[in-house]
Each structure stands twice: as structure tokens, then as C-alpha cells.
């Protein structure tokens, strides 16, 4: 067992906060990418947004490109938030540093790949494999956490 405290003296926790920050920043940037797609495609969902462009545009609720970005963002929210919460619990169990590092790296790389293949419309199974890699990391951390839990 490794060092289990959640402070910067713990090298596993220091690694975790770095990788967690990388995936959280990427998740937050998806909002800006959505806004960019809405503006460049004039696909606004609120009337006050259309009015701000000086002429009356129609409200557009289903632009395929905007919706693709939104689905990618939603997928991040569904996967990154659990990773961050599970990662904190996982670090608290005092995992081996090499194993923890592998978990954090695989998850982070898989989420970046997932976003790129989603937004660039790379054919399947690229997106599914990237998703599965991140999901496997979360499941592995859950197994590790539950194997040390006391009920």
C-alpha cells in the first residue's frame, strides 16, 4: 500500500490533480466550442441570442454540427465527473504509484482521443474504443475501492 493522504506530499495525489485538471479543463472548453459552433452556424436556441446579431434569425434547435459538439460535451460530463470523484476515493486507498499513474494516464488520453474522433467524425470503432478505455479505468478504480471498503 502506498501513501493514502490527499495532500501535495502524496505523489499519487499530485499526479491525480494534474490529470484531473487536464480532463476538467477539456470538459469546460467544450462549452466554448459549442458557442463557437452556434455562432459560426448561426444556430441559436434563444430568441434574445438571435436578436443580438442585428437581424432577426430563426431559432435553430437541431443543427447537426452543434448537436454533435453538445453530445461530445455531455459524454464528457457523464465520464469525467465520475473519474474525478472515483479518483479521489482511489487515491485515498493508497494505491501503488505505478498503477495509479497508469489509470490516470489512460483515462486522460482516452478522453482527449474521444473528443478528437467525435468532433472530427472519425469512423467507428475509434470513438467506442476511446470511450471503453476510459470506462475500463473507472471500473478498475471502483473494483480497487470496493475491495478495500468496509461495510
Amino acid at each position: 500500500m502506498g501513501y493514502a493522504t490527499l495532500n501535495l506530499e502524496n505523489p499519487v495525489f499530485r499526479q491525480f490533480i494534474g490529470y484531473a485538471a487536464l480532463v476538467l479543463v477539456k470538459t469546460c472548453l467544450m462549452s466554448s466550442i459549442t458557442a463557437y459552433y452556434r455562432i459560426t452556424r448561426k444556430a441559436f436556441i434563444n430568441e434574445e441570442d438571435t436578436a443580438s446579431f442585428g437581424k432577426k434569425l430563426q431559432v435553430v434547435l437541431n443543427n447537426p454540427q452543434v448537436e454533435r459538439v453538445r453530445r461530445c460535451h455531455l459524454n464528457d460530463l457523464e465520464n469525467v465527473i465520475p473519474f474525478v470523484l472515483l479518483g479521489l476515493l482511489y487515491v485515498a486507498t493508497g494505491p501503488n504509484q505505478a498503477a495509479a499513474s497508469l489509470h490516470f494516464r489512460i483515462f486522460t488520453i482516452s478522453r482527449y482521443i474521444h473528443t478528437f474522433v467525435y468532433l472530427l467524425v472519425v469512423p467507428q470503432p475509434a470513438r467506442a474504443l476511446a470511450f471503453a478505455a476510459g470506462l475500463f479505468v473507472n471500473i478498475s478504480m471502483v473494483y480497487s475501492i470496493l475491495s478495500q471498503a468496509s461495510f
Side-chain angles (χ1 to χ4, degrees):
M1 282 264 191
Y3 189 40
T5 60
L6 300 179
N7 66 45
L8 295 178
E9 293 176 19
N10 178 353
V12 174
F13 182 65
R14 287 176 57 131
Q15 236 180 3
F16 171 71
I17 62 172
Y19 287 108
L22 287 174
V23 292
L24 287 168
V25 164
K26 186 192 76 60
T27 301
C28 291
L29 286 174
M30 292 304 296
S31 296
S32 297
I33 295 170
T34 302
Y36 170 79
Y37 271 69
R38 284 199 185 287
I39 292 167
T40 59
R41 281 119 181 114
K42 295 184 175 34
F44 303 106
I45 58 172
N46 298 304
E47 289 184 19
E48 65 273 15
D49 298 336
T50 65
S52 67
F53 279 82
K55 57 183 175 181
K56 189 70 172 165
L57 297 172
Q58 293 293 321
V59 169
V60 177
L61 299 176
N62 59 355
N63 179 282
Q65 294 163 318
V66 172
E67 289 307 308
R68 184 172 197 84
V69 176
R70 285 174 29 92
R71 287 190 306 271
C72 185
H73 188 196
L74 179 60
N75 193 278
D76 267 352
L77 293 171
E78 294 168 347
N79 289 276
V80 170
I81 292 169
F83 167 76
V84 171
L85 296 173
L86 290 169
L88 286 171
L89 295 174
Y90 178 66
V91 171
T93 67
N96 171 279
Q97 186 172 357
S101 178
L102 190 60
H103 280 86
F104 305 153
R105 287 178 182 156
I106 289 172
F107 185 86
T108 302
I109 291 166
S110 75
R111 292 315 302 173
Y112 274 85
I113 290 171
H114 182 271
T115 297
F116 286 120
V117 300
Y118 210 137
L119 297 182
L120 298 175
V121 194
V122 174
Q124 287 284 26
R127 190 175 81 239
L129 291 172
F131 170 81
L135 179 62
F136 176 76
V137 167
N138 280 344
I139 290 169
S140 177
M141 288 192 302
V142 165
Y143 176 79
S144 180
I145 293 162
L146 290 176
S147 70
Q148 295 189 47
S150 177
F151 296 97

